[in-house]
Amino acid sequence: MHYTDAKSILSPKNGMNLYRGCTHGCIYCDSRSECYGMTYTFEDIEAKRNAPRLLEEALRRKRSRCMIGTGAMSDPYLPLEQTEGLTRRALEIIDRYGFGVTLLTKSDLVLRDLDLLQSIHRKAKCVVQMTLTTYDENLCRIVEPNVATTHRRFEVLMELKKAGIPTVVWMTPILPFINDTEENIRGLLEYCKEAEVKGILTFGIGMTLRSGNREYFYKKLDEHFPEMKRQYMRTFGSSYGIHSLNGKVLGKLVKDFCKENSILYGTDAIFTYLNTLNEPQTQLSLF
Ligand code: SF4
C-alpha cells in the first residue's frame, strides 16, 4: 500500500472514496477498467491519509446536512482498514456533525463500526449496502475470493437487522453461464427476505466488460472455467453491457419477489431512498 494526499474528498453528489484499489479480488471488478486511469497495480492500495481532515472541512462548510456515500470504487472495509482506520475516522466525523451515511461493502468488518452506525442512524440515517451475487459458497470463493462469503454476508445483514440498521442488497453483477440461474437468484432472495432488507438493486441481470477488467476476467475464466472465455467471446463479442440470456426471467423473478415482500425495487426508488435524510431522532447541538 501507499499513501497519498487528496486534493478534495467529496464528489459533487457527496460520495467519497477513502482508498483506491482493492484486494478483495472479485473476478468481474469494473474498478480495474483502464478508463479510471490508475497508474499503479490495482492491489497496491492507495490510502488518502488526509481524507479525515478534508471531510471535516467539507462538512463544516455545508449549509445543510445530507447523506454521505462511500464504497462505489473501493470497498471501505478492506483488510487494510483494520490498521489504517480511515473509514472509522470518517464515520466518527459524520457522526459528530450529524450527517447521514450509506456505505457499500462485501466485508464483515463493517460490524466493527456498529456502535457508530447506530449513533449516526439515531441522529440522521445510516444504510448499509451489501453485495450478494453468488449463493453457492464454493462458487462465491472463486468469484469473490478474498472477502467474506455470501453466507457470512447474510449473517452480517442479520446482525444489522438486529441492530436496527436498514440494508440494501446489490444483487449485481450476475455472470452469464456462471451464476445466472433461478436457483442462485432464489437463494439470494431468501437471504434478503430473512434479513428484511429495504431494497434490492440489480441494474438488469448481467455485468459489464471493458478494457482492463475484461482481460482480468478472461484470465480468471481460463483459470477456473475452461472453455468459458470462448463462450463469452462467441456470445457477447466486445460488448460493454453483457446481458444474461436468462435476464428476462430472472429480472421478473426479482421484481415479483420484491413486490410480494414489500422490498424496494428499481434504481430510482432505491437511490432516492439512499439519498434522502431522515428527520433527526435526537436533538443536535453540533454547529
Ligand atoms: S469489492 Fe468492489 S472494488 Fe473490490 S474487487 Fe470487488 S468489485 Fe472490485
Side-chain angles (χ1 to χ4, degrees):
M1 62 92 51
H2 62 277
Y3 293 105
T4 191
D5 285 316
K7 290 197 178 79
S8 63
I9 194 66
L10 284 186
S11 72
K13 290 188 170 171
N14 299 311
M16 62 178 179
N17 285 293
L18 304 165
Y19 300 101
R20 203 161 175 224
C22 185
T23 49
H24 287 345
C26 309
I27 65 171
Y28 51 72
C29 178
D30 173 72
S31 299
R32 291 180 180 275
S33 304
E34 279 168 10
C35 59
Y36 298 119
M38 277 186 82
T39 51
Y40 46 87
T41 318
F42 189 64
E43 288 76 14
D44 176 18
I45 308 298
E46 186 166 85
K48 300 178 185 174
R49 65 183 156 197
N50 62 341
R53 181 176 58 76
L54 291 177
L55 178 63
E56 182 154 13
E57 285 169 7
L59 298 192
R60 202 181 287 140
R61 277 197 306 269
K62 282 202 179 286
R63 295 215 172 132
S64 56
R65 299 174 317 130
C66 62
M67 291 292 285
I68 307 295
T70 191
M73 292 292 291
S74 175
D75 197 308
Y77 289 104
L78 297 171
L80 197 73
E81 166 61 18
Q82 289 178 77
T83 47
E84 292 306 312
L86 286 177
T87 300
R88 177 141 188 114
R89 281 158 66 201
L91 289 175
E92 284 167 352
I93 293 163
I94 289 168
D95 183 43
R96 191 152 13 102
Y97 282 80
F99 280 70
V101 76
T102 181
L103 40 87
L104 171 61
T105 185
K106 293 185 174 104
S107 171
D108 55 0
L109 188 56
V110 64
L111 292 179
R112 178 200 65 181
D113 294 337
L114 205 50
D115 57 334
L116 277 169
L117 302 180
Q118 285 180 301
S119 175
I120 292 169
H121 194 57
R122 272 195 303 275
K123 294 173 188 168
K125 177 172 168 180
C126 170
V127 184
V128 174
Q129 303 170 64
M130 180 74 74
T131 305
L132 301 182
T133 67
T134 311
Y135 184 72
D136 181 289
E137 290 286 278
N138 292 326
L139 187 56
C140 179
R141 283 190 192 94
I142 293 173
V143 172
E144 296 152 347
N146 308 328
V147 68
T149 63
T150 299
H151 187 261
R152 177 62 187 141
R153 284 178 235 162
F154 162 64
E155 289 175 344
V156 173
L157 288 170
M158 293 296 283
E159 288 292 318
L160 291 164
K161 175 176 102 166
K162 247 191 276 164
I165 304 294
T167 53
V168 163
V169 161
W170 285 53
M171 204 173 284
T172 180
I174 298 295
L175 313 181
F177 314 122
I178 294 176
N179 58 12
D180 62 339
T181 63
E182 214 169 303
E183 188 189 3
N184 182 49
I185 300 295
R186 281 194 193 281
L188 299 176
L189 289 173
E190 283 308 317
Y191 278 163
C192 291
K193 184 176 174 179
E194 201 171 337
E196 293 175 19
V197 306
K198 182 86 187 168
I200 299 176
L201 275 164
T202 62
F203 302 111
I205 304 289
M207 65 183 302
T208 55
L209 285 178
R210 54 185 161 183
S211 205
N213 82 322
R214 184 189 302 276
E215 290 75 7
Y216 187 81
F217 180 65
Y218 282 175
K219 185 167 147 252
K220 292 294 161 185
L221 289 188
D222 282 343
E223 277 172 36
H224 300 288
F225 309 93
E227 294 301 309
M228 187 72 85
K229 179 170 82 182
R230 212 185 306 232
Q231 196 171 358
Y232 263 73
M233 291 167 88
R234 218 173 26 232
T235 314
F236 305 113
S238 56
S239 305
Y240 168 59
I242 305 291
H243 304 290
S244 163
L245 307 184
N246 305 328
K248 272 201 180 135
V249 175
L250 299 180
K252 184 171 180 330
L253 185 65
V254 179
K255 193 174 175 185
D256 291 349
F257 187 92
C258 287
K259 204 168 165 195
E260 278 161 30
N261 293 284
S262 305
I263 295 172
L264 279 180
Y265 175 79
T267 315
D268 289 350
I270 294 180
F271 279 99
T272 300
Y273 166 69
L274 291 174
N275 291 325
T276 309
L277 205 53
N278 293 342
E279 286 306 308
Q281 295 170 30
T282 54
Q283 196 62 42
L284 297 177
S285 56
L286 290 161
F287 294 98

